[in-house]
Amino acid sequence: RDAQESRGLGDVYKRQVPGVVYLSDYDLGSNGIAYYDVDYANYTLSSGEDFQPWNSGWSYRNDGVDIQTNSDTSNSNGYHVGYTNNNEWMKYTLNVSETGFYNLKLRYATPQSGAKIKFYIDNVDIAGNVSIGNSGGWTNFVNHFIYNSYIEAGTHVFKVKVDGNTEFNMSSVESVSYTHLRAHETPEHL
């Protein structure tokens, strides 16, 4: 891998597919490498400008992604990414156990309609344009399902990208192999 690529967090965060990816646990690296955030602090120079906080949520990590705490009890590590802006993204190194089709469950919250998000594996779009609706509030987390995303076995970089100007909070993405759903289960059983 190129030295400028984001680095996975190894055993600190075991991101396995199938499994749950906590979106606040993106790879280590700087803005433009492990994540892209419109507003981020730059500690390498003195600009003389007004103070810019390290993240607008003031929680969890000391870099540019805006992270807040939450009390969601479903697929949550107690944090979510918020204050989203168009074209912001985060990367996650994943270990995919087997090649196949996966159903994804995005955990999100927003009082607005029209939010959009995109999902990539190794910079290849795996879900198309995903639109999410009003969940009933900034702290009312709900699920949105994305069906039949093809992912090959091995180590990959998963990228989550905000696509549009409607803000939302996002907590996690859970993946379940489509072939492992039992006969009586529907994708909502994720």
Side-chain angles (χ1 to χ4, degrees):
R1 226 197 288 215
D2 186 291
Q4 290 297 312
E5 284 292 311
S6 62
R7 293 187 339 193
L9 296 174
D11 289 337
V12 176
Y13 303 114
K14 292 184 178 183
R15 294 180 292 229
Q16 302 290 320
V17 172
V20 177
V21 174
Y22 300 115
L23 298 179
S24 58
D25 292 339
Y26 49 90
D27 286 353
L28 295 174
S30 61
N31 194 40
I33 304 296
Y35 66 91
Y36 172 71
D37 197 274
V38 173
D39 296 317
Y40 69 97
N42 184 348
Y43 298 111
T44 62
L45 57 98
S46 176
S47 64
E49 296 177 20
D50 291 335
F51 171 73
Q52 174 68 38
W54 46 275
N55 94 47
S56 295
W58 291 85
S59 297
Y60 196 54
R61 292 179 64 162
N62 190 15
D63 53 24
V65 176
D66 306 316
I67 299 172
Q68 295 177 290
T69 59
N70 69 52
S71 57
D72 188 26
T73 58
S74 177
N75 284 349
S76 177
N77 64 349
Y79 299 95
H80 64 265
V81 174
Y83 300 97
T84 57
N85 288 293
N86 190 35
N87 292 320
E88 291 183 336
W89 51 262
M90 293 137 318
K91 291 181 179 178
Y92 309 82
T93 301
L94 304 177
N95 179 34
V96 181
S97 63
E98 63 182 277
T99 297
F101 288 92
Y102 290 84
N103 293 329
L104 307 177
K105 177 173 64 174
L106 170 68
R107 192 88 177 139
Y108 78 95
T110 183
Q112 305 175 64
S113 295
K116 296 179 183 174
I117 191 168
K118 294 186 79 68
F119 300 99
Y120 301 87
I121 293 286
D122 300 330
N123 288 319
V124 174
D125 187 339
I126 63 165
N129 296 316
V130 177
S131 295
I132 55 178
N134 182 331
S135 73
W138 290 115
T139 59
N140 188 41
F141 284 85
V142 297
N143 299 320
H144 181 85
F145 298 93
I146 300 99
Y147 304 108
N148 297 321
S149 293
Y150 182 77
I151 307 173
E152 293 186 1
T155 300
H156 300 284
V157 176
F158 178 55
K159 182 176 172 181
V160 176
K161 182 179 178 186
V162 177
D163 185 29
N165 294 315
T166 304
E167 289 188 37
F168 58 97
N169 295 331
M170 53 185 157
S171 176
S172 64
V173 175
E174 182 179 7
S175 57
V176 149
S177 173
Y178 184 74
T179 57
H180 287 143
L181 289 174
R182 289 171 276 194
H184 69 280
E185 290 182 318
T186 63
E188 286 75 18
H189 282 96
L190 282 172

PDB file of all heavy atoms in Angstrom, residues 152-183:
ATOM      1  N   GLU A 152     -15.685  -8.639  -2.034  1.00  0.00           N
ATOM      2  CA  GLU A 152     -14.775  -9.785  -2.125  1.00  0.00           C
ATOM      3  C   GLU A 152     -14.018  -9.982  -0.821  1.00  0.00           C
ATOM      4  O   GLU A 152     -13.773  -9.032  -0.076  1.00  0.00           O
ATOM      5  CB  GLU A 152     -13.799  -9.588  -3.282  1.00  0.00           C
ATOM      6  CG  GLU A 152     -14.488  -9.619  -4.633  1.00  0.00           C
ATOM      7  CD  GLU A 152     -13.522  -9.574  -5.802  1.00  0.00           C
ATOM      8  OE1 GLU A 152     -12.290  -9.546  -5.583  1.00  0.00           O
ATOM      9  OE2 GLU A 152     -14.008  -9.567  -6.939  1.00  0.00           O
ATOM     10  N   ALA A 153     -13.625 -11.228  -0.557  1.00  0.00           N
ATOM     11  CA  ALA A 153     -12.857 -11.564   0.649  1.00  0.00           C
ATOM     12  C   ALA A 153     -11.502 -10.868   0.625  1.00  0.00           C
ATOM     13  O   ALA A 153     -10.960 -10.565  -0.440  1.00  0.00           O
ATOM     14  CB  ALA A 153     -12.683 -13.073   0.739  1.00  0.00           C
ATOM     15  N   GLY A 154     -10.972 -10.589   1.818  1.00  0.00           N
ATOM     16  CA  GLY A 154      -9.652  -9.993   1.943  1.00  0.00           C
ATOM     17  C   GLY A 154      -9.690  -8.679   2.694  1.00  0.00           C
ATOM     18  O   GLY A 154     -10.706  -8.294   3.271  1.00  0.00           O
ATOM     19  N   THR A 155      -8.568  -7.984   2.679  1.00  0.00           N
ATOM     20  CA  THR A 155      -8.451  -6.692   3.343  1.00  0.00           C
ATOM     21  C   THR A 155      -8.778  -5.588   2.345  1.00  0.00           C
ATOM     22  O   THR A 155      -8.226  -5.567   1.246  1.00  0.00           O
ATOM     23  CB  THR A 155      -7.027  -6.499   3.900  1.00  0.00           C
ATOM     24  OG1 THR A 155      -6.757  -7.551   4.835  1.00  0.00           O
ATOM     25  CG2 THR A 155      -6.888  -5.164   4.603  1.00  0.00           C
ATOM     26  N   HIS A 156      -9.685  -4.713   2.744  1.00  0.00           N
ATOM     27  CA  HIS A 156     -10.151  -3.648   1.861  1.00  0.00           C
ATOM     28  C   HIS A 156     -10.306  -2.349   2.639  1.00  0.00           C
ATOM     29  O   HIS A 156     -10.413  -2.355   3.860  1.00  0.00           O
ATOM     30  CB  HIS A 156     -11.512  -4.005   1.242  1.00  0.00           C
ATOM     31  CG  HIS A 156     -11.495  -5.240   0.436  1.00  0.00           C
ATOM     32  ND1 HIS A 156     -10.963  -5.289  -0.825  1.00  0.00           N
ATOM     33  CD2 HIS A 156     -11.930  -6.490   0.727  1.00  0.00           C
ATOM     34  CE1 HIS A 156     -11.085  -6.518  -1.297  1.00  0.00           C
ATOM     35  NE2 HIS A 156     -11.667  -7.264  -0.374  1.00  0.00           N
ATOM     36  N   VAL A 157     -10.375  -1.236   1.904  1.00  0.00           N
ATOM     37  CA  VAL A 157     -10.675   0.063   2.506  1.00  0.00           C
ATOM     38  C   VAL A 157     -12.118   0.423   2.170  1.00  0.00           C
ATOM     39  O   VAL A 157     -12.488   0.536   1.004  1.00  0.00           O
ATOM     40  CB  VAL A 157      -9.696   1.155   2.025  1.00  0.00           C
ATOM     41  CG1 VAL A 157     -10.100   2.521   2.586  1.00  0.00           C
ATOM     42  CG2 VAL A 157      -8.272   0.814   2.444  1.00  0.00           C
ATOM     43  N   PHE A 158     -12.906   0.557   3.207  1.00  0.00           N
ATOM     44  CA  PHE A 158     -14.315   0.943   3.133  1.00  0.00           C
ATOM     45  C   PHE A 158     -14.382   2.449   3.328  1.00  0.00           C
ATOM     46  O   PHE A 158     -13.820   2.987   4.279  1.00  0.00           O
ATOM     47  CB  PHE A 158     -15.085   0.216   4.237  1.00  0.00           C
ATOM     48  CG  PHE A 158     -16.545   0.524   4.337  1.00  0.00           C
ATOM     49  CD1 PHE A 158     -17.396   0.376   3.257  1.00  0.00           C
ATOM     50  CD2 PHE A 158     -17.088   0.910   5.552  1.00  0.00           C
ATOM     51  CE1 PHE A 158     -18.756   0.626   3.368  1.00  0.00           C
ATOM     52  CE2 PHE A 158     -18.453   1.157   5.684  1.00  0.00           C
ATOM     53  CZ  PHE A 158     -19.283   1.012   4.588  1.00  0.00           C
ATOM     54  N   LYS A 159     -15.045   3.146   2.412  1.00  0.00           N
ATOM     55  CA  LYS A 159     -15.157   4.606   2.481  1.00  0.00           C
ATOM     56  C   LYS A 159     -16.629   4.983   2.561  1.00  0.00           C
ATOM     57  O   LYS A 159     -17.439   4.497   1.776  1.00  0.00           O
ATOM     58  CB  LYS A 159     -14.513   5.221   1.239  1.00  0.00           C
ATOM     59  CG  LYS A 159     -14.517   6.730   1.189  1.00  0.00           C
ATOM     60  CD  LYS A 159     -13.743   7.179  -0.059  1.00  0.00           C
ATOM     61  CE  LYS A 159     -13.812   8.625  -0.349  1.00  0.00           C
ATOM     62  NZ  LYS A 159     -13.056   8.974  -1.570  1.00  0.00           N
ATOM     63  N   VAL A 160     -16.947   5.850   3.516  1.00  0.00           N
ATOM     64  CA  VAL A 160     -18.295   6.370   3.705  1.00  0.00           C
ATOM     65  C   VAL A 160     -18.242   7.851   3.356  1.00  0.00           C
ATOM     66  O   VAL A 160     -17.452   8.594   3.942  1.00  0.00           O
ATOM     67  CB  VAL A 160     -18.762   6.163   5.161  1.00  0.00           C
ATOM     68  CG1 VAL A 160     -20.117   6.797   5.383  1.00  0.00           C
ATOM     69  CG2 VAL A 160     -18.778   4.684   5.507  1.00  0.00           C
ATOM     70  N   LYS A 161     -19.069   8.290   2.394  1.00  0.00           N
ATOM     71  CA  LYS A 161     -18.997   9.661   1.893  1.00  0.00           C
ATOM     72  C   LYS A 161     -20.369  10.338   1.937  1.00  0.00           C
ATOM     73  O   LYS A 161     -21.363   9.778   1.471  1.00  0.00           O
ATOM     74  CB  LYS A 161     -18.484   9.658   0.455  1.00  0.00           C
ATOM     75  CG  LYS A 161     -18.324  11.049  -0.139  1.00  0.00           C
ATOM     76  CD  LYS A 161     -17.793  10.975  -1.564  1.00  0.00           C
ATOM     77  CE  LYS A 161     -17.672  12.355  -2.170  1.00  0.00           C
ATOM     78  NZ  LYS A 161     -17.289  12.291  -3.578  1.00  0.00           N
ATOM     79  N   VAL A 162     -20.396  11.543   2.480  1.00  0.00           N
ATOM     80  CA  VAL A 162     -21.610  12.368   2.494  1.00  0.00           C
ATOM     81  C   VAL A 162     -21.806  12.922   1.088  1.00  0.00           C
ATOM     82  O   VAL A 162     -20.872  13.437   0.478  1.00  0.00           O
ATOM     83  CB  VAL A 162     -21.476  13.513   3.520  1.00  0.00           C
ATOM     84  CG1 VAL A 162     -22.701  14.413   3.484  1.00  0.00           C
ATOM     85  CG2 VAL A 162     -21.231  12.957   4.918  1.00  0.00           C
ATOM     86  N   ASP A 163     -23.022  12.800   0.570  1.00  0.00           N
ATOM     87  CA  ASP A 163     -23.307  13.217  -0.799  1.00  0.00           C
ATOM     88  C   ASP A 163     -24.478  14.203  -0.815  1.00  0.00           C
ATOM     89  O   ASP A 163     -25.626  13.820  -1.002  1.00  0.00           O
ATOM     90  CB  ASP A 163     -23.630  11.983  -1.643  1.00  0.00           C
ATOM     91  CG  ASP A 163     -23.811  12.306  -3.111  1.00  0.00           C
ATOM     92  OD1 ASP A 163     -23.194  13.266  -3.596  1.00  0.00           O
ATOM     93  OD2 ASP A 163     -24.582  11.582  -3.771  1.00  0.00           O
ATOM     94  N   GLY A 164     -24.183  15.465  -0.546  1.00  0.00           N
ATOM     95  CA  GLY A 164     -25.230  16.481  -0.542  1.00  0.00           C
ATOM     96  C   GLY A 164     -25.117  17.382   0.676  1.00  0.00           C
ATOM     97  O   GLY A 164     -24.285  17.185   1.551  1.00  0.00           O
ATOM     98  N   ASN A 165     -25.982  18.372   0.717  1.00  0.00           N
ATOM     99  CA  ASN A 165     -25.902  19.400   1.752  1.00  0.00           C
ATOM    100  C   ASN A 165     -26.848  19.200   2.925  1.00  0.00           C
ATOM    101  O   ASN A 165     -26.873  20.026   3.829  1.00  0.00           O
ATOM    102  CB  ASN A 165     -26.153  20.774   1.126  1.00  0.00           C
ATOM    103  CG  ASN A 165     -25.038  21.134   0.169  1.00  0.00           C
ATOM    104  OD1 ASN A 165     -23.865  20.956   0.466  1.00  0.00           O
ATOM    105  ND2 ASN A 165     -25.404  21.619  -1.008  1.00  0.00           N
ATOM    106  N   THR A 166     -27.629  18.129   2.951  1.00  0.00           N
ATOM    107  CA  THR A 166     -28.520  17.868   4.077  1.00  0.00           C
ATOM    108  C   THR A 166     -27.737  17.173   5.179  1.00  0.00           C
ATOM    109  O   THR A 166     -27.178  16.104   4.973  1.00  0.00           O
ATOM    110  CB  THR A 166     -29.710  16.994   3.638  1.00  0.00           C
ATOM    111  OG1 THR A 166     -30.385  17.645   2.556  1.00  0.00           O
ATOM    112  CG2 THR A 166     -30.684  16.779   4.772  1.00  0.00           C
ATOM    113  N   GLU A 167     -27.698  17.796   6.364  1.00  0.00           N
ATOM    114  CA  GLU A 167     -26.920  17.244   7.471  1.00  0.00           C
ATOM    115  C   GLU A 167     -27.626  16.060   8.126  1.00  0.00           C
ATOM    116  O   GLU A 167     -28.851  15.988   8.159  1.00  0.00           O
ATOM    117  CB  GLU A 167     -26.672  18.321   8.534  1.00  0.00           C
ATOM    118  CG  GLU A 167     -25.695  19.381   8.102  1.00  0.00           C
ATOM    119  CD  GLU A 167     -25.331  20.320   9.234  1.00  0.00           C
ATOM    120  OE1 GLU A 167     -25.206  19.857  10.390  1.00  0.00           O
ATOM    121  OE2 GLU A 167     -25.183  21.519   8.956  1.00  0.00           O
ATOM    122  N   PHE A 168     -26.821  15.146   8.681  1.00  0.00           N
ATOM    123  CA  PHE A 168     -27.336  14.008   9.441  1.00  0.00           C
ATOM    124  C   PHE A 168     -26.234  13.502  10.355  1.00  0.00           C
ATOM    125  O   PHE A 168     -25.061  13.829  10.187  1.00  0.00           O
ATOM    126  CB  PHE A 168     -27.849  12.896   8.517  1.00  0.00           C
ATOM    127  CG  PHE A 168     -26.830  12.359   7.556  1.00  0.00           C
ATOM    128  CD1 PHE A 168     -26.116  11.204   7.839  1.00  0.00           C
ATOM    129  CD2 PHE A 168     -26.587  13.002   6.346  1.00  0.00           C
ATOM    130  CE1 PHE A 168     -25.179  10.696   6.944  1.00  0.00           C
ATOM    131  CE2 PHE A 168     -25.652  12.508   5.442  1.00  0.00           C
ATOM    132  CZ  PHE A 168     -24.949  11.353   5.741  1.00  0.00           C
ATOM    133  N   ASN A 169     -26.625  12.738  11.351  1.00  0.00           N
ATOM    134  CA  ASN A 169     -25.693  12.050  12.239  1.00  0.00           C
ATOM    135  C   ASN A 169     -25.644  10.591  11.808  1.00  0.00           C
ATOM    136  O   ASN A 169     -26.663  10.018  11.430  1.00  0.00           O
ATOM    137  CB  ASN A 169     -26.154  12.141  13.692  1.00  0.00           C
ATOM    138  CG  ASN A 169     -26.139  13.553  14.218  1.00  0.00           C
ATOM    139  OD1 ASN A 169     -25.347  14.377  13.777  1.00  0.00           O
ATOM    140  ND2 ASN A 169     -27.022  13.845  15.159  1.00  0.00           N
ATOM    141  N   MET A 170     -24.447   9.985  11.879  1.00  0.00           N
ATOM    142  CA  MET A 170     -24.324   8.566  11.518  1.00  0.00           C
ATOM    143  C   MET A 170     -23.472   7.859  12.552  1.00  0.00           C
ATOM    144  O   MET A 170     -22.425   8.350  12.955  1.00  0.00           O
ATOM    145  CB  MET A 170     -23.780   8.396  10.111  1.00  0.00           C
ATOM    146  CG  MET A 170     -22.504   9.115   9.808  1.00  0.00           C
ATOM    147  SD  MET A 170     -22.061   8.933   8.062  1.00  0.00           S
ATOM    148  CE  MET A 170     -21.003  10.360   7.865  1.00  0.00           C
ATOM    149  N   SER A 171     -23.959   6.700  12.979  1.00  0.00           N
ATOM    150  CA  SER A 171     -23.346   5.990  14.089  1.00  0.00           C
ATOM    151  C   SER A 171     -22.587   4.731  13.669  1.00  0.00           C
ATOM    152  O   SER A 171     -21.457   4.523  14.083  1.00  0.00           O
ATOM    153  CB  SER A 171     -24.423   5.624  15.109  1.00  0.00           C
ATOM    154  OG  SER A 171     -23.902   4.870  16.160  1.00  0.00           O
ATOM    155  N   SER A 172     -23.214   3.892  12.858  1.00  0.00           N
ATOM    156  CA  SER A 172     -22.574   2.617  12.515  1.00  0.00           C
ATOM    157  C   SER A 172     -23.117   2.068  11.200  1.00  0.00           C
ATOM    158  O   SER A 172     -24.159   2.499  10.707  1.00  0.00           O
ATOM    159  CB  SER A 172     -22.807   1.585  13.625  1.00  0.00           C
ATOM    160  OG  SER A 172     -24.191   1.297  13.750  1.00  0.00           O
ATOM    161  N   VAL A 173     -22.374   1.097  10.664  1.00  0.00           N
ATOM    162  CA  VAL A 173     -22.826   0.312   9.519  1.00  0.00           C
ATOM    163  C   VAL A 173     -22.601  -1.150   9.886  1.00  0.00           C
ATOM    164  O   VAL A 173     -21.479  -1.550  10.210  1.00  0.00           O
ATOM    165  CB  VAL A 173     -22.055   0.650   8.222  1.00  0.00           C
ATOM    166  CG1 VAL A 173     -22.478  -0.283   7.090  1.00  0.00           C
ATOM    167  CG2 VAL A 173     -22.265   2.097   7.825  1.00  0.00           C
ATOM    168  N   GLU A 174     -23.672  -1.922   9.871  1.00  0.00           N
ATOM    169  CA  GLU A 174     -23.561  -3.356  10.129  1.00  0.00           C
ATOM    170  C   GLU A 174     -23.700  -4.099   8.813  1.00  0.00           C
ATOM    171  O   GLU A 174     -24.516  -3.738   7.968  1.00  0.00           O
ATOM    172  CB  GLU A 174     -24.644  -3.828  11.092  1.00  0.00           C
ATOM    173  CG  GLU A 174     -24.528  -5.314  11.408  1.00  0.00           C
ATOM    174  CD  GLU A 174     -25.578  -5.807  12.392  1.00  0.00           C
ATOM    175  OE1 GLU A 174     -26.502  -5.046  12.747  1.00  0.00           O
ATOM    176  OE2 GLU A 174     -25.472  -6.982  12.792  1.00  0.00           O
ATOM    177  N   SER A 175     -22.895  -5.144   8.646  1.00  0.00           N
ATOM    178  CA  SER A 175     -22.978  -5.966   7.436  1.00  0.00           C
ATOM    179  C   SER A 175     -23.301  -7.402   7.819  1.00  0.00           C
ATOM    180  O   SER A 175     -22.811  -7.921   8.812  1.00  0.00           O
ATOM    181  CB  SER A 175     -21.653  -5.926   6.667  1.00  0.00           C
ATOM    182  OG  SER A 175     -20.600  -6.363   7.506  1.00  0.00           O
ATOM    183  N   VAL A 176     -24.166  -8.020   7.029  1.00  0.00           N
ATOM    184  CA  VAL A 176     -24.520  -9.419   7.198  1.00  0.00           C
ATOM    185  C   VAL A 176     -24.487 -10.053   5.820  1.00  0.00           C
ATOM    186  O   VAL A 176     -24.999  -9.487   4.858  1.00  0.00           O
ATOM    187  CB  VAL A 176     -25.926  -9.545   7.837  1.00  0.00           C
ATOM    188  CG1 VAL A 176     -26.649 -10.788   7.396  1.00  0.00           C
ATOM    189  CG2 VAL A 176     -25.845  -9.520   9.333  1.00  0.00           C
ATOM    190  N   SER A 177     -23.851 -11.212   5.728  1.00  0.00           N
ATOM    191  CA  SER A 177     -23.803 -11.925   4.460  1.00  0.00           C
ATOM    192  C   SER A 177     -25.211 -12.329   4.064  1.00  0.00           C
ATOM    193  O   SER A 177     -25.940 -12.920   4.858  1.00  0.00           O
ATOM    194  CB  SER A 177     -22.920 -13.165   4.589  1.00  0.00           C
ATOM    195  OG  SER A 177     -23.006 -13.949   3.419  1.00  0.00           O
ATOM    196  N   TYR A 178     -25.592 -11.987   2.853  1.00  0.00           N
ATOM    197  CA  TYR A 178     -26.926 -12.315   2.367  1.00  0.00           C
ATOM    198  C   TYR A 178     -27.170 -13.820   2.408  1.00  0.00           C
ATOM    199  O   TYR A 178     -28.255 -14.278   2.705  1.00  0.00           O
ATOM    200  CB  TYR A 178     -27.115 -11.774   0.952  1.00  0.00           C
ATOM    201  CG  TYR A 178     -28.497 -11.989   0.415  1.00  0.00           C
ATOM    202  CD1 TYR A 178     -29.559 -11.220   0.869  1.00  0.00           C
ATOM    203  CD2 TYR A 178     -28.749 -12.959  -0.541  1.00  0.00           C
ATOM    204  CE1 TYR A 178     -30.845 -11.415   0.382  1.00  0.00           C
ATOM    205  CE2 TYR A 178     -30.026 -13.161  -1.024  1.00  0.00           C
ATOM    206  CZ  TYR A 178     -31.066 -12.384  -0.561  1.00  0.00           C
ATOM    207  OH  TYR A 178     -32.330 -12.581  -1.041  1.00  0.00           O
ATOM    208  N   THR A 179     -26.142 -14.595   2.151  1.00  0.00           N
ATOM    209  CA  THR A 179     -26.280 -16.053   2.126  1.00  0.00           C
ATOM    210  C   THR A 179     -26.432 -16.637   3.527  1.00  0.00           C
ATOM    211  O   THR A 179     -26.841 -17.774   3.671  1.00  0.00           O
ATOM    212  CB  THR A 179     -25.071 -16.713   1.434  1.00  0.00           C
ATOM    213  OG1 THR A 179     -23.886 -16.308   2.112  1.00  0.00           O
ATOM    214  CG2 THR A 179     -24.997 -16.311  -0.015  1.00  0.00           C
ATOM    215  N   HIS A 180     -26.129 -15.857   4.581  1.00  0.00           N
ATOM    216  CA  HIS A 180     -26.238 -16.368   5.945  1.00  0.00           C
ATOM    217  C   HIS A 180     -27.571 -16.044   6.610  1.00  0.00           C
ATOM    218  O   HIS A 180     -27.801 -16.438   7.745  1.00  0.00           O
ATOM    219  CB  HIS A 180     -25.095 -15.845   6.814  1.00  0.00           C
ATOM    220  CG  HIS A 180     -23.800 -16.502   6.470  1.00  0.00           C
ATOM    221  ND1 HIS A 180     -22.611 -15.839   6.469  1.00  0.00           N
ATOM    222  CD2 HIS A 180     -23.509 -17.761   6.077  1.00  0.00           C
ATOM    223  CE1 HIS A 180     -21.640 -16.649   6.118  1.00  0.00           C
ATOM    224  NE2 HIS A 180     -22.163 -17.815   5.866  1.00  0.00           N
ATOM    225  N   LEU A 181     -28.458 -15.339   5.912  1.00  0.00           N
ATOM    226  CA  LEU A 181     -29.790 -15.123   6.455  1.00  0.00           C
ATOM    227  C   LEU A 181     -30.528 -16.459   6.433  1.00  0.00           C
ATOM    228  O   LEU A 181     -30.516 -17.175   5.432  1.00  0.00           O
ATOM    229  CB  LEU A 181     -30.565 -14.096   5.621  1.00  0.00           C
ATOM    230  CG  LEU A 181     -30.100 -12.649   5.713  1.00  0.00           C
ATOM    231  CD1 LEU A 181     -30.872 -11.787   4.717  1.00  0.00           C
ATOM    232  CD2 LEU A 181     -30.275 -12.107   7.111  1.00  0.00           C
ATOM    233  N   ARG A 182     -31.147 -16.806   7.540  1.00  0.00           N
ATOM    234  CA  ARG A 182     -31.906 -18.052   7.586  1.00  0.00           C
ATOM    235  C   ARG A 182     -33.205 -17.897   6.809  1.00  0.00           C
ATOM    236  O   ARG A 182     -33.675 -16.791   6.565  1.00  0.00           O
ATOM    237  CB  ARG A 182     -32.165 -18.420   9.033  1.00  0.00           C
ATOM    238  CG  ARG A 182     -30.871 -18.881   9.733  1.00  0.00           C
ATOM    239  CD  ARG A 182     -31.102 -19.035  11.181  1.00  0.00           C
ATOM    240  NE  ARG A 182     -30.919 -17.678  11.717  1.00  0.00           N
ATOM    241  CZ  ARG A 182     -30.772 -17.381  12.973  1.00  0.00           C
ATOM    242  NH1 ARG A 182     -30.824 -18.302  13.858  1.00  0.00           N
ATOM    243  NH2 ARG A 182     -30.588 -16.142  13.350  1.00  0.00           N
ATOM    244  N   ALA A 183     -33.799 -18.982   6.449  1.00  0.00           N
ATOM    245  CA  ALA A 183     -34.989 -18.973   5.600  1.00  0.00           C
ATOM    246  C   ALA A 183     -36.104 -18.112   6.150  1.00  0.00           C
ATOM    247  O   ALA A 183     -36.823 -17.468   5.401  1.00  0.00           O
ATOM    248  CB  ALA A 183     -35.496 -20.418   5.405  1.00  0.00           C
TER     249      ALA A 183
END
